[in-house]
């Protein structure tokens, strides 16, 4: 878990610009989806090639929020990253050729191939049979062709995305920014997101609260449900 808060400077800037800190006073849970990103072995398991140790500290918060949202008629969507590889090439060659190299590249490609251990949800997560499961092959769940998330959201008349998972500043932030551009309302659930450092976590939250959506804890969201 990250022990940070949004700085007074950013709070003051937000208040001066729009006269209020939180964008949303209330939520209709039936129009909300909790989108949990990359809470899978590849990021949560100790020693995994892309391990984010702090991710394990958010599991309890994610489980509680998911349970409460289900009770109120909202959707829970689990999204994992997987990559098809053939002849040493990946379907996201730009990432595997430039962002990782050598042994790390080969290990990651094998571990995150479809059906392999890396793509399985972390075993401490509490999943319901009615939850939705999707696969993505880019940082952002809503990047063109990356997943079926937009189709699922539009078909279920979802308006508000609660973003959770890991990494805060990469896949979660990319999804949040794109969602805002696509006219979804965005809430970054700060105590349900994690990354490799407090500094990176805080930077994302401060960017989101200024330009792309709201930032609140899972409990703050629940208290606003009508």
């Amino acid at each position: 878990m990250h022990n940070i808060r949004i700085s007074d400077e950013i709070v003051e800037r937000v208040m001066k610009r729009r006269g209020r800190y939180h964008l949303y006073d209330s939520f209709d849970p039936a129009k909300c989806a909790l989108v949990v990103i990359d809470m899978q072995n590849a990021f949560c398991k100790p020693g995994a090639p892309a391990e984010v140790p702090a991710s394990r500290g958010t599991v309890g918060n994610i489980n509680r929020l998911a349970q409460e949202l289900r009770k109120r008629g909202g959707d829970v969507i689990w999204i994992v990253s997987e990559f098809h590889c053939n002849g040493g090439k990946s379907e996201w060659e730009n990432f595997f050729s430039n962002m990782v190299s050598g042994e790390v590249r080969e290990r990651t490609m094998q571990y995150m191939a479809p059906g392999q251990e890396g793509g399985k949800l972390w075993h401490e997560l509490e999943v319901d049979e009615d939850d939705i499961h999707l696969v993505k092959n880019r940082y952002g769940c809503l990047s063109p062709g990356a997943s079926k998330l937009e189709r699922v959201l539009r078909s279920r008349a979802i308006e508000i995305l609660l973003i959770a998972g890991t990494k805060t500043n990469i896949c979660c932030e990319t999804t949040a920014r794109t969602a805002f551009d696509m006219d979804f309302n965005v809430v970054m659930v700060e105590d349900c997101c994690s990354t490799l450092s407090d500094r990176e976590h805080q930077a994302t939250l401060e960017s989101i609260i200024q330009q792309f959506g709201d930032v609140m804890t899972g409990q703050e969201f629940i208290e606003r449900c009508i």
Side-chain angles (χ1 to χ4, degrees), residues 108-176:
T108 305
M109 287 176 69
Q110 294 175 15
Y111 197 60
M112 298 183 71
Q116 297 304 305
E117 181 183 10
K120 295 179 181 178
L121 285 173
W122 181 238
H123 66 279
E124 295 180 347
L125 294 165
E126 297 171 0
V127 181
D128 188 84
E129 62 181 7
D130 292 328
D131 293 347
I132 298 166
H133 297 263
L134 299 175
V135 175
K136 69 179 177 71
N137 62 7
R138 293 293 187 275
Y139 291 143
C141 307
L142 291 167
S143 298
S147 80
K148 297 179 181 179
L149 180 59
E150 182 186 6
R151 189 182 308 171
V152 169
L153 296 172
R154 303 293 189 197
S155 69
R156 301 176 79 86
I158 297 297
E159 298 178 1
I160 300 157
L161 304 192
L162 309 175
I163 306 294
T166 197
K167 299 176 184 176
T168 311
N169 58 316
I170 301 179
C171 295
C172 295
E173 180 173 349
T174 303
T175 299

